[in-house]
Amino acid sequence: MVEGTAVRERARSAAQDLRWSEAYDLLRLADRTTLDPDGLELFADAAWWCCQVEEELELRQQAFHGFVATGESDRAAYAAWMLSVRYGLRGDPTASSGWLQRAQRQLADQPEGVVHGYVACSEVEQALGAGRIDEADDHALKAITIGQRFDTPELVALAVSWQGLCRLARNEVEPGLRLLDEAMASVAAGELDAHFTGWVACFAVGMCMGVADLRRAGSWAQTAWDWASTLPEATPYQGLCRVRQVEVMSMRGDLEAAAPEARRACEEMLAFEPNLAGEAFYVTGEILRRRGDIDAAERAFTEARELGHDPQPGLARIRLEQGRADAAAAALRAALADPGRPPFVRASLLSAQVEVALVEGDADLARRARDDLDAIATEVQSEALSALAATATGRVRLAEGDAEAALAALRPAAATWRALGMTCELAETRSIVGLALRALGDAEGAQLELRSAQRAFEEVGATGDAKRVDARMAGSPALPKGLTDRECEVLRKVAAGHTNRQIAEDLVLSEHTVARHLSNIFTKLGVTSRTAAAAFAFEHDLA
């Protein structure tokens, strides 16, 4: 062990050049009892940058007590505030609240300064969590005012980000996103220190994804990744930025390049903070699912669940591919029972529910899910959400036998997906367009759309999706009376004399679902008996 003052100065010099591993190793050589609170705080920073989270918490608590003992209330409050933030990231709201209280107590008799602004940022988060948006907005404005008065760009950028979130909470999407633009401008200009650069960038990209502004998300994720890539050594922000970058790559259909990056993001996040690694495993599962590696995708989704991240709707889509539509439907109902999900997450769940409900033959549920999705898209005003809602409408209209109305919804959705660069969503929508054209008797147009969709999936390595389109291409050239492929499968079994139980076993469905399909078939055909339905099947070469 060596005396702390000399080591601290050498470590501080390394930290200023972002050589955090060197700073951490130097401080580990010091006799911790000789480090003053300032040295302990530096040691805590170095531990965080080196992903030593438990050690960081211990060191920062020691620094807090040291600052209290020396009467440095502002420094003690800042240490307590940082502990509140760290415990919040770990998913420990009780400890986070306790340390925020300690920060507030340290500042109670102090003249207003920069740390009051940082504490106000956490008060924004608390108020938003309780649904008190006006109060949250007041805290954000206070933090911005303090940051400007004391010329602290880090505080201003963080507070502006929180003010943007307050606007988003009111569904004032464009004003909220413009505030996030302002915060990201300070990131792109290099005006913030490294810690707040990563913090504000991750915050902004996450909020942008939450309202499905994929143009901004892609641009900002690239800005964040460009910055993280310049860091001289591995840090927590590289893992955090990589998760966002991989998510954008996946949405754009760059699956081959995204797959290894996703695995690396999982490793980095597990090493840094397992509580935050669940999202990385979920994104990995989505990439694997699209590539057709269902077993590996299911393992990734299971790991995401173990780490506290809901694996839906990805896992529900796997269940659908496995022929377990009833399990998929139950999982989505449970996921949608949580009202606190961000708009894009809820919209993704509703989109999946439309697909599953139509496979199950539950047209009423499909329409309700579509209506809920429409309401979100109307409220949030996002291109991606509007396209998602229009695609769901196209599915429902097609299932109802109104192929013309389906096309009226699907074609603008396809144009939006193309403009956003969403390769897989565009291909899926075009495949449904193909089914609508087939229902209208345009066999040539249908095959062109389906082949284009299949080729697009194959080019990005989405083999699972390509196989599904291949199955659609192999379906009946034109299905009469608005029958779906699944309804035709059930009708064929009926024409063969199978009971509901036998049909359920053959098609891996519940008897309840088979009965619902039969009810829809009878309605579409205008018949009231299995015999009449079977006769229709033979007359139209469906048997």
Side-chain angles (χ1 to χ4, degrees), residues 250-537:
S250 175
M251 288 181 170
R252 289 176 172 168
D254 194 3
L255 302 182
E256 185 174 353
E261 291 298 309
R263 287 193 293 271
R264 187 172 175 185
C266 291
E267 294 169 0
E268 289 170 333
M269 295 310 297
L270 281 173
F272 166 53
E273 183 53 81
N275 181 60
L276 301 177
E279 185 174 4
F281 277 94
Y282 180 82
V283 174
T284 300
E286 280 287 82
I287 293 169
L288 293 167
R289 180 184 65 81
R290 284 202 178 278
R291 298 186 76 188
D293 193 343
I294 298 302
D295 290 341
E298 187 165 356
R299 288 194 296 273
F301 287 138
T302 299
E303 187 67 25
R305 187 196 294 277
E306 290 297 316
L307 293 166
H309 189 92
D310 191 342
Q312 305 303 344
L315 189 55
R317 287 199 163 97
I318 284 181
R319 295 290 176 257
L320 194 60
E321 291 182 38
Q322 293 169 336
R324 298 172 57 191
D326 53 345
L332 290 170
R333 280 196 303 273
L336 284 163
D338 178 0
R341 296 178 182 276
F344 191 43
V345 174
R346 189 165 183 82
S348 297
L349 292 167
L350 289 166
S351 175
Q353 189 172 53
V354 170
E355 295 178 51
V356 173
L358 292 175
V359 169
E360 282 208 301
D362 193 342
D364 288 340
L365 177 59
R367 281 190 286 267
R368 290 198 303 273
R370 185 274 316 275
D371 290 345
D372 289 346
L373 182 48
D374 275 341
I376 293 174
T378 300
E379 189 174 41
V380 174
Q381 293 292 306
S382 154
E383 289 179 295
L385 288 181
S386 295
L388 199 62
T391 303
T393 295
R395 292 183 191 274
V396 172
R397 295 298 187 210
L398 184 58
E400 292 171 339
D402 192 345
E404 291 182 356
L407 286 174
L410 291 167
R411 281 174 168 152
T416 299
W417 293 133
R418 182 178 286 108
L420 291 173
M422 305 282 284
T423 304
C424 292
E425 283 69 19
L426 172 60
E428 175 63 14
T429 302
R430 291 192 69 180
S431 77
I432 308 168
V433 168
L435 297 179
L437 291 172
R438 191 169 71 186
L440 290 170
D442 183 0
E444 183 179 357
Q447 286 298 101
L448 285 172
E449 289 292 337
L450 288 164
R451 285 198 187 103
S452 293
Q454 184 185 45
R455 187 163 53 249
F457 279 133
E458 288 174 344
E459 286 175 355
V460 300
T463 55
D465 294 301
K467 287 178 181 177
R468 188 173 65 255
V469 176
D470 187 59
R472 289 171 178 171
M473 291 174 67
S476 302
L479 303 179
K481 300 289 187 178
L483 292 171
T484 66
D485 287 331
R486 178 63 94 182
E487 287 165 352
C488 283
E489 288 181 297
V490 172
L491 184 54
R492 290 187 187 100
K493 299 291 183 181
V494 170
H498 292 191
T499 66
N500 282 14
R501 177 173 291 183
Q502 289 171 322
I503 296 172
E505 291 174 353
D506 289 347
L507 299 182
V508 198
L509 299 172
S510 68
E511 288 187 59
H512 178 69
T513 297
V514 171
R516 195 154 50 204
H517 280 306
L518 276 175
S519 176
N520 292 339
I521 291 167
F522 287 178
T523 299
K524 289 181 178 181
L525 303 187
V527 301
T528 57
S529 69
R530 298 172 81 94
T531 301
F536 180 94

